[in-house]
Amino acid sequence: MVQDERYMQRCLDLAILGAGTVSPNPMVGAVILHDGLIIGEGYTSPYGGPHAEVNAVQDAYQKLGEAEAKTRFHTSTMYVSLEPCSHFGKTPPCADMLVELQFERVVIGCLDPFARVNGQGLKKLQEAGIDTTVGVLEEACMFINRRFFTRIQQQRPYVILKWAQTDDGFFSPEDATQQWISNKASKQLVHKWRGEEDAILVGTSTALIDNPTLTTRLWSGKNPKRILIDKELKVPADAAIFNEEAETIVFNEQQTDWQKDRKLIALEHFDLYLPQQLLYQLYLMDVQSLIIEGGAKTLQSFLNAGIWDEARVFVSLHRWGQGKPAPKLTAMIDATQKVGDDELRIYFNRKV
């Protein structure tokens, strides 16, 4: 079992390399072990490309030659962090490939909750006589794909709240001017996070006061979809949030207009269950994860609705003595991390 955990951890290390590129697919890693040696490994390609198991097999072909690799597969173990798929999607079923290649054993981190898989991939392997083990590092395998699991099981994106506050609990100045709280290292880390999520959301006030581009310009990564809550369409068309670096979706009360990079979506009952409405619309657009960066009113609306999964709060050394209070979060801190002289506090919503 210790050996199984060791190689499953390697699968997880590989899986995270797909962060920000595989959505709405899950992040998966795969390792092929033969006589105590790894002969192939891989992780899921960007969306539409080969899955982890296929890439591991191809890696073995490149290292050993196809004929030699196929011979060794008969006495090899395939480790994979998520149940092999059993249906035709963008690619053929991985479970069928493992059966065809006659792997001796398959070790699976956790089952896939997607209705068209959910035990069916495992069943195919077992019916073919392949020795199977399920549940190795199961919690870790589920955690790494918490975005995927949330979308499948709750029909909404995984929601990450992010903000910075002063040491004495203030979010912004009273006069609504822009003033940075966190340091440069924290700002760069936020840009890294943006590249790992499907979409980023702000409200009208943030768009007007900060005029953010909401891109990953301080980090190498894709720009997320930009989501703007703008009930009365107050944000001008030349605002930075509408530049051509990414698509922007505007939820409002007045107009629906579907253009290339600027999509307006009118909600009929705008003020009624707004967080729930937004998340369901984004779910229908295959948005698997959402990071909410402000403002305080927008963040608090998701906290009040109880619809959030993770909160990342930077606390600086600054003390203002006055200002607009930071959002009220009653959850217990799960972890802390120093980012320069800022403290990053991580929370998870255990009530969801």
Side-chain angles (χ1 to χ4, degrees):
M1 192 63 179
V2 173
Q3 174 175 288
D4 286 350
E5 291 181 353
R6 176 186 175 188
Y7 292 107
M8 189 58 68
Q9 182 59 54
R10 177 59 183 164
C11 290
L12 291 171
D13 294 341
L14 289 165
I16 200 68
L17 297 177
T21 66
V22 303
S23 179
N25 282 340
M27 295 182 289
V28 184
V31 169
I32 302 171
L33 190 71
H34 180 266
D35 284 347
L37 296 175
I38 293 176
I39 61 171
E41 59 182 22
Y43 58 95
T44 301
S45 300
Y47 181 62
H51 290 182
E53 301 94 318
V54 174
N55 286 333
V57 166
Q58 291 297 322
D59 186 41
Y61 288 166
Q62 290 179 6
K63 290 175 177 175
L64 303 171
E66 185 170 339
E68 177 63 22
K70 284 184 174 179
T71 298
R72 295 195 192 187
F73 291 162
H74 300 166
T75 51
S76 292
T77 297
M78 168 72 80
Y79 290 88
V80 60
S81 55
L82 186 71
E83 178 183 8
C85 61
S86 57
H87 66 292
F88 281 89
K90 295 284 186 181
T91 59
C94 290
D96 290 359
M97 178 191 69
L98 299 182
V99 170
E100 180 182 342
L101 294 174
Q102 299 178 3
F103 274 84
E104 180 179 34
R105 182 173 181 240
V106 176
V107 179
I108 299 168
C110 63
L111 295 182
D112 187 332
F114 184 50
R116 295 177 67 186
V117 184
N118 200 8
Q120 296 305 306
L122 174 63
K123 184 179 179 182
K124 283 188 175 185
L125 300 176
Q126 292 174 333
E127 288 179 345
I130 296 174
D131 181 20
T132 57
T133 300
V134 181
V136 176
L137 298 186
E138 183 175 34
E139 287 190 12
C141 291
M142 294 174 68
F143 181 77
I144 199 174
N145 275 315
R146 57 197 183 279
R147 298 161 180 80
F148 175 72
F149 275 66
T150 297
R151 177 176 173 271
I152 296 299
Q153 296 173 334
Q154 300 187 44
Q155 289 78 55
R156 65 166 177 82
Y158 184 86
V159 176
I160 301 169
L161 308 179
K162 170 265 162 185
W163 72 85
Q165 65 184 54
T166 63
D167 189 49
D168 51 352
F170 293 107
F171 181 86
S172 63
E174 286 281 7
D175 60 4
T177 57
Q178 183 185 37
Q179 187 168 335
W180 284 107
I181 296 175
S182 55
N183 61 38
K184 291 183 178 180
S186 295
K187 186 176 181 180
Q188 187 177 39
L189 179 57
V190 168
H191 284 227
K192 176 180 182 292
W193 290 344
R194 290 175 180 176
E196 295 170 351
E197 311 306 334
D198 286 354
I200 180 171
L201 181 148
V202 296
T204 306
S205 295
T206 298
L208 290 173
I209 296 169
D210 295 346
N211 195 28
T213 58
L214 303 181
T215 61
T216 59
R217 61 193 179 279
L218 299 181
W219 195 264
S220 176
K222 68 169 181 59
N223 290 322
K225 292 179 186 291
R226 298 175 295 202
I227 314 300
L228 173 63
I229 301 174
D230 189 9
K231 181 179 180 179
E232 299 174 0
L233 296 178
K234 293 181 177 179
V235 180
D238 62 353
I241 199 170
F242 294 126
N243 68 25
E244 296 181 352
E245 295 181 64
E247 175 185 11
T248 303
I249 299 168
V250 185
F251 289 102
N252 68 94
E253 192 178 44
Q254 300 179 358
Q255 182 182 359
T256 295
D257 183 22
W258 205 258
Q259 298 179 15
K260 182 182 178 183
D261 292 324
R262 186 171 181 263
K263 299 175 170 62
L264 307 182
I265 300 177
L267 300 177
E268 187 174 354
H269 303 290
F270 188 89
D271 294 315
L272 188 63
Y273 302 112
L274 181 58
Q276 292 89 333
Q277 287 195 74
L278 296 183
L279 293 181
Y280 185 64
Q281 290 292 330
L282 294 176
Y283 163 77
L284 295 177
M285 297 177 194
D286 275 342
V287 172
Q288 185 163 268
S289 62
L290 175 69
I291 186 165
I292 300 176
E293 290 200 12
K297 179 181 177 181
T298 300
L299 289 160
Q300 194 64 54
S301 70
F302 281 84
L303 286 168
N304 292 344
I307 308 178
W308 62 280
D309 299 286
E310 189 173 334
R312 303 172 182 176
V313 182
F314 292 100
V315 180
S316 78
L317 296 176
H318 301 297
R319 297 185 67 84
W320 288 355
Q322 61 181 0
K324 293 185 177 180
K328 301 299 181 184
L329 185 58
T330 58
M332 298 291 290
I333 299 173
D334 282 272
T336 60
Q337 175 185 336
K338 293 297 290 183
V339 183
D341 57 2
D342 290 341
E343 180 180 82
L344 172 60
R345 299 174 181 173
I346 305 292
Y347 304 78
F348 291 99
N349 186 2
R350 309 294 181 187
K351 299 177 183 178
V352 174

